[in-house]
Amino acid sequence: MLKLSKKAEYALMAAKYMALKNSSGYSSAKEISENYQIPYQLVAKVLQNLVKSDIAFSAKGMNGGFALAKKPELISIIDIIKAVESKFKITDCMHENGSEQDCSHFNCCKIKDPLAVIQKKIDNVFTDTYLVQIL
Amino acid sequence: MLKLSKKAEYALMAAKYMALKNSSGYSSAKEISENYQIPYQLVAKVLQNLVKSDIAFSAKGMNGGFALAKKPELISIIDIIKAVESKFKITDCMHENGSEQDCSHFNCCKIKDPLAVIQKKIDNVFTDTYLVQIL
DNA sequence: TTCGAATCAGACTAATTCAGTCTTATTAGA
DNA sequence: TCTAATAAGACTGAATTAGTCTGATTCGAA
C-alpha cells in the first residue's frame, strides 16, 4: 500500500543518470540499463515517457540516445513520476470530475474531503523535491 | 500507484462512525456496514484489527460491538492505517533492516536515501492528522 | 438452559494490477 | 546497406488486493 511503482523508481533513476552525465552527450537506454541494473525494455519505455512529457529528448540512430531537456534544478520529481504514472492518487476518485464511476461510494463518501487535504500535502512533498536533490 | 487500500479506507470510515456516535454505546459491525455501505465481513475484520492495536475495544455477545478506546483528538490516522496495513512504505526496502531480500538493487541503489527523506515527509502528513480532523 | 446476536479467525476465490518479455517497426550514421 | 539505436504495443506470469465463505466463540435475554 502507498507504494511507488517500479516504473516510477526507474524513471527517477534514469533521470538521475542523465543528470549526472550532465551535458556530455546522449545516454542510451542500454547504457543506463547496464549501469543501474534495470531491465533494458523497461528503461527504454520509461525514457520514451520522459520524452513525451518534455523532460528529456531523444536522438534516433547510431550514437543516439536520451538527454535531459532542462537543468536538474528545474525538474520537479512529480513531473518525472507523472510522466510514467497517470494514477498518482491515494484513491480512485481523487481527480477532477471524479464520479460514481470511480467508486460506488462517491456520492455518500464520508472521508473524501479530508483525504483530498492529505492528497494535496502528499503532492506537495513531491512537487517540492527537485531532481538536483536526488543526485 | 501510491493508493490507499480499501482496508485503510474502511478503517478510517469505521473510526469516524464510532467517533461520531461518541459515547452512546457500542457500534456493531453490522450497523457500520449498513450505514456506510461497506461489505460486512470487511468492516468486521478491520474493526478486529483496530481492537488489536488498542484503538478500539470490543464487547462480545448480544448488544455487543465496538467503541473507540481514546478520544478522536488523540488518535492519529497513521495509527488507524497501520492497524490494518503493515506495509506502509513507498518502497519494499524502506524499513529497518532493509536488505537485498527486499530488492535486488539494495546494495547499489542510487535513490534509496532521497526516497527515505520523502518517506519521512509522507509519514508526517499522516502522523499529523488526527481522527477529529476527518469527522 | 437454550437461542440468537454479536465478535473472532482464517481459508479460499476472483479480480485487478504490475513487472517483465517478446516482437516488430523506424530511424540515422558509418 | 548494415548496424545500433529509438519507438510502440501486445502478451504473459506473478503478485497483490478485494471480497466471500465457513465455522468457532462468547454473552445476554427469554
Side-chain angles (χ1 to χ4, degrees):
Chain A
M1 198 200 63
L2 215 83
K3 231 173 53 181
L4 243 42
S5 68
K6 288 289 173 193
K7 255 160 70 178
E9 291 178 20
Y10 296 159
L12 291 173
M13 291 167 82
K16 173 167 184 171
Y17 186 91
M18 291 187 285
L20 288 175
K21 192 155 180 181
N22 206 4
S23 49
S24 51
Y26 293 109
S27 313
S28 75
K30 194 184 172 202
E31 183 186 342
I32 298 176
S33 154
E34 284 170 358
N35 275 285
Y36 282 2
Q37 315 266 26
I38 313 171
Y40 169 74
Q41 310 267 18
L42 289 186
V43 183
K45 211 172 290 184
V46 152
L47 285 163
Q48 286 161 30
N49 290 332
L50 293 180
V51 171
K52 273 189 188 162
S53 300
D54 294 320
I55 293 165
F57 59 91
S58 67
K60 282 193 180 182
M62 243 175 147
N63 301 319
F66 300 85
L68 290 178
K70 288 183 282 185
K71 287 184 181 171
E73 298 83 37
L74 300 176
I75 302 176
S76 165
I77 66 169
I78 202 169
D79 294 325
I80 295 175
I81 295 173
K82 281 187 174 169
V84 296
E85 288 288 348
S86 52
K87 288 180 199 160
F88 185 56
K89 302 288 176 182
I90 57 175
T91 67
D92 286 331
C93 67
M94 194 71 61
H95 60 84
E96 293 182 35
N97 310 321
S99 74
E100 196 111 31
Q101 297 288 58
D102 302 309
C103 171
S104 58
H105 296 111
F106 189 78
N107 293 316
C108 62
C109 182
K110 312 295 183 186
I111 53 174
K112 210 167 36 179
D113 295 344
L115 285 185
V117 175
I118 289 173
Q119 178 72 61
K120 196 158 251 173
K121 288 181 184 170
I122 291 178
D123 280 353
N124 286 340
V125 170
F126 289 95
T127 305
D128 295 345
T129 304
Y130 288 83
L131 180 52
V132 68
Q133 293 172 257
I134 72 170
L135 298 187
Chain B
M1 198 201 63
L2 214 84
K3 232 173 55 182
L4 244 42
S5 68
K6 288 288 173 194
K7 256 160 68 177
E9 291 178 21
Y10 296 160
L12 292 173
M13 291 168 81
K16 173 168 183 169
Y17 186 92
M18 290 187 285
L20 288 175
K21 192 156 181 181
N22 206 4
S23 48
S24 51
Y26 294 108
S27 313
S28 75
K30 194 182 171 202
E31 182 184 345
I32 298 176
S33 154
E34 284 170 357
N35 276 284
Y36 282 2
Q37 315 266 26
I38 313 172
Y40 169 74
Q41 310 266 18
L42 290 186
V43 184
K45 211 173 288 185
V46 152
L47 285 164
Q48 286 160 29
N49 290 332
L50 293 180
V51 171
K52 272 189 188 161
S53 300
D54 294 321
I55 293 165
F57 57 91
S58 67
K60 282 192 181 182
M62 242 174 148
N63 301 321
F66 300 85
L68 290 178
K70 290 184 281 187
K71 288 183 181 173
E73 298 84 36
L74 300 176
I75 302 176
S76 165
I77 66 169
I78 202 169
D79 293 325
I80 295 174
I81 294 174
K82 281 188 173 167
V84 296
E85 289 287 347
S86 51
K87 287 179 200 162
F88 186 57
K89 301 288 175 183
I90 57 174
T91 67
D92 286 332
C93 67
M94 195 72 60
H95 59 85
E96 293 181 37
N97 310 322
S99 75
E100 197 111 30
Q101 298 288 58
D102 302 309
C103 171
S104 58
H105 297 111
F106 189 79
N107 294 317
C108 61
C109 183
K110 312 293 182 184
I111 54 173
K112 209 166 40 180
D113 295 345
L115 286 184
V117 175
I118 289 173
Q119 177 73 62
K120 196 159 252 174
K121 288 181 184 170
I122 291 178
D123 280 353
N124 286 341
V125 170
F126 289 95
T127 305
D128 295 345
T129 305
Y130 288 84
L131 179 53
V132 68
Q133 293 172 256
I134 71 169
L135 299 187

